[in-house]
Amino acid sequence: MQRWSRSKESVGQLFTNDLTASTIVISRATLLKARHASWSSVTFDPVEAMRQRQDLLQQGLYCIGLWHTHPEVAPVPSGTDEKLAADHAREAISVLNGLAFVIVGNRPFPNGWYVGFHDIVRFHKANLLSSR
Ligand SMILES: [Zn+2]
């Protein structure tokens, strides 16, 4: 979460240890070194991301998506996010029907988060339920 106006965005990948279960559990969320991070945009090194995927695959973890932060109360994907998600969804199409895409905003889950899936064509926003 970006708590301060001078905070920079953070970014990472989402992994699961079972791609075939009826409920996919995110077993690990990693951090990537942000490149050109600023208040409202972030990019990462695709080589580092690929290396991380290969390392975690050795532990039986499959990458199913990306997460990053937005300095917003109710985050929505930007145009850059749309392109990023579509590119990664396209790369993963042989194993994933959709790329998980999470944006952590300035408020707690569920209202302060965006959770969706990109199927190459568009985002499908998840309906989030509070556990309370
Ligand atoms: Zn974004």
Side-chain angles (χ1 to χ4, degrees):
M1 189 189 289
Q2 286 173 257
R3 292 170 202 279
W4 314 105
S5 60
R6 285 184 303 167
S7 303
K8 304 207 169 191
E9 289 201 8
S10 298
V11 60
Q13 301 186 100
L14 303 170
F15 292 83
T16 185
N17 56 11
D18 190 351
L19 279 175
T20 61
S22 58
T23 300
I24 301 294
V25 175
I26 298 195
S27 328
R28 194 174 309 175
T30 64
L31 197 59
L32 290 168
K33 236 174 272 139
R35 275 198 327 200
H36 312 296
S38 70
W39 189 67
S40 63
S41 85
V42 67
T43 60
F44 57 87
D45 180 359
V47 175
E48 183 195 4
M50 192 51 70
R51 193 179 312 123
Q52 187 176 74
R53 288 178 195 183
Q54 286 163 355
D55 287 351
L56 291 181
L57 190 59
Q58 302 299 313
Q59 301 170 37
L61 292 166
Y62 304 91
C63 184
I64 59 164
L66 301 168
W67 71 269
H68 68 291
T69 58
H70 267 201
E72 295 176 293
V73 170
V76 289
S78 67
T80 309
D81 293 339
E82 175 83 44
K83 188 183 178 318
L84 179 77
D87 287 350
H88 283 264
R90 199 172 294 113
E91 281 173 25
I93 194 67
S94 62
V95 283
L96 297 178
N97 293 322
L99 179 90
F101 201 82
V102 173
I103 304 173
V104 177
N106 286 346
R107 291 268 177 87
F109 184 86
N111 295 337
W113 290 37
Y114 174 89
V115 177
F117 299 87
H118 203 289
D119 66 0
I120 298 178
V121 178
R122 67 182 190 90
F123 276 116
H124 300 269
K125 189 177 191 291
N127 292 317
L128 302 178
L129 303 172
S130 175
S131 58
R132 288 177 201 181

